[in-house]
């Protein structure tokens, strides 16, 4: 507020200016506090999400993640990829319940459990079974869904299992796509003594596997079926147009963010080379 030269503000005006200054100071303090929380949450998220290996023998893999619009800019979605003993490659995608630091912590626990168990177990179903029991021992107040694939890049054999996660998509070079619901069981951390199931199929070189979290295919105005159809159509068109895994993942992520993006989103695209 400014006054002309020589003007003497009244006591009421002085009180008003002092009150406004105090309120502005409080607002600035809250903004700085929130910014510090956001920076901390972002650093935690970046630490939790892995950097994919630059080279996975026989496979082209791309991953993308973007947090939800609100909250602390952090969530429970994750992905991972690593080479197992024997040469097969493990790929996973999952979603821990919530959009806060606790969700990120559970996500980190589940991802580490699965990595450790996969070093000893060759079957995805067994990995999920043992992970579920470990998660239950931590007595979490939340749960996590995930899909786990073991791929032999030499012959394209894929063995997969799901813990209550979104179906995977198979996009083909002719532009078509199909939805594949992996066998498995319930989400992790809820039902004890669960024996998960798995199936084996072949990944041909003209097919891309697309794994997503529910934020990509569901929203207030988007049903799961409609979302899967939209993403499958996008992926099929991308493969038909000659896009690589990185470009295909970008196209899917950009589309998800543009439509009803209220949840975290993660995308994993896999192709044989």
């Amino acid at each position: 507020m400014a006054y002309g030269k020589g003007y003497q503000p009244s006591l009421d005006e002085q009180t008003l200016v002092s009150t406004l200054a105090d309120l502005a100071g409080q607002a600035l303090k809250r903004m700085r506090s929130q910014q510090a929380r956001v920076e901390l949450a972002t650093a935690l998220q970046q630490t939790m999400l892995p950097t994919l290996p630059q080279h996975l023998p026989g496979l082209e893999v791309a991953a993308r993640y973007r947090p939800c619009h609100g909250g602390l800019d952090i969530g429970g979605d994750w992905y991972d990829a690593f080479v197992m003993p024997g040469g097969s490659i493990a790929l996973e995608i999952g979603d821990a319940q919530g959009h806060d630091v606790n969700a990120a912590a559970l996500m980190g626990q589940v991802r580490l459990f699965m990595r450790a168990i996969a070093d000893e177990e060759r079957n995805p179903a067994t990995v999920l079974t043992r992970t579920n029991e470990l998660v239950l021992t931590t007595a979490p107040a939340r749960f996590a869904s995930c899909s786990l694939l073991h791929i032999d890049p030499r012959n394209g054999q894929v063995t997969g299992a799901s813990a209550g996660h979104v179906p995977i998509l198979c996009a083909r070079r002719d532009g078509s796509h199909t939805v594949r619901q992996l066998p498995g069981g319930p989400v992790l951390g809820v039902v004890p003594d669960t024996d998960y199931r798995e199936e084996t199929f072949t990944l041909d070189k003209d097919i891309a596997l697309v794994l997503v979290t529910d934020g990509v295919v569901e929203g207030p105005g988007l049903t799961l079926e409609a979302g899967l159809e939209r993403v499958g159509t996008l992926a099929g068109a991308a493969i038909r147009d000659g896009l690589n895994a990185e470009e295909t993942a970008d196209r899917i992520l950009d589309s998800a963010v543009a439509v009803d993006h209220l949840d975290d989103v993660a995308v994993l695209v896999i192709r044989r080379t």
Side-chain angles (χ1 to χ4, degrees):
M1 299 179 68
Y3 300 100
K5 185 177 181 180
Y7 178 79
Q8 295 296 323
S10 67
L11 179 60
D12 286 344
E13 289 175 321
Q14 293 179 41
T15 301
L16 174 61
V17 172
S18 177
T19 301
L20 291 174
D22 184 55
L23 291 173
Q26 293 179 36
L28 182 60
K29 184 178 180 180
R30 287 194 297 269
M31 289 171 60
R32 288 173 174 167
S33 176
Q34 177 66 11
Q35 181 61 32
R37 294 172 67 204
V38 169
E39 291 175 357
L40 175 62
T42 301
L44 176 61
Q45 185 78 55
Q46 292 173 345
T47 301
M48 291 291 188
L49 286 174
T51 299
L52 296 185
Q54 292 186 352
H55 178 65
L56 289 169
L59 292 182
E60 179 187 7
V61 178
R64 296 290 185 271
Y65 169 81
R66 193 168 298 179
C68 61
H69 286 320
L72 281 180
D73 208 32
I74 190 170
D77 289 14
W78 84 89
Y79 55 79
D80 204 357
F82 53 94
V83 180
M84 299 187 303
S88 292
I89 297 170
L91 297 116
E92 64 188 65
I93 193 166
D95 182 2
Q97 179 193 15
H99 304 100
D100 53 24
V101 174
N102 290 330
L106 176 59
M107 172 266 285
Q109 283 183 317
V110 173
R111 189 172 67 82
L112 291 175
F113 288 161
M114 293 179 69
R115 271 222 180 201
I117 295 169
D119 279 340
E120 303 175 358
E121 298 289 351
R122 299 184 59 181
N123 300 321
T126 306
V127 174
L128 292 183
T129 296
R130 291 184 57 187
T131 300
N132 182 57
E133 295 304 319
L134 279 175
V135 172
L136 285 166
T137 63
T138 67
R142 303 172 186 242
F143 58 82
S145 68
C146 72
S147 291
L148 174 62
L149 304 178
H150 288 179
I151 302 179
D152 187 337
R154 293 161 295 192
N155 57 18
Q157 180 174 292
V158 182
T159 304
S162 172
H165 198 66
V166 178
I168 66 175
L169 291 157
C170 304
R172 296 179 174 80
R173 191 171 295 169
D174 62 4
S176 65
H177 71 275
T178 55
V179 177
R180 179 182 287 271
Q181 178 67 67
L182 294 173
V187 293
L188 302 171
V190 175
V191 183
D193 301 321
T194 298
D195 289 323
Y196 289 83
R197 296 174 294 112
E198 64 188 27
E199 71 172 5
T200 299
F201 59 95
T202 300
L203 174 61
D204 295 326
K205 291 190 176 182
D206 64 341
I207 295 177
L209 295 181
V210 179
L211 285 69
V212 300
T213 53
D214 58 4
V216 180
V217 292
E218 288 185 299
L222 190 67
T223 65
L224 175 60
E225 292 75 15
L228 288 169
E229 179 64 25
R230 181 172 61 87
V231 172
T233 300
L234 282 171
I239 303 304
R240 182 194 60 212
D241 294 344
L243 273 60
N244 60 24
E246 298 282 347
E247 295 165 329
T248 301
D250 283 335
R251 179 176 289 190
I252 295 170
L253 181 67
D254 291 343
S255 175
V257 170
V259 180
D260 293 328
H261 173 48
L262 299 179
D263 199 357
D264 300 48
V265 292
V267 179
L268 193 61
V269 179
I270 306 156
R271 299 191 68 179
R272 285 180 65 200
T273 59

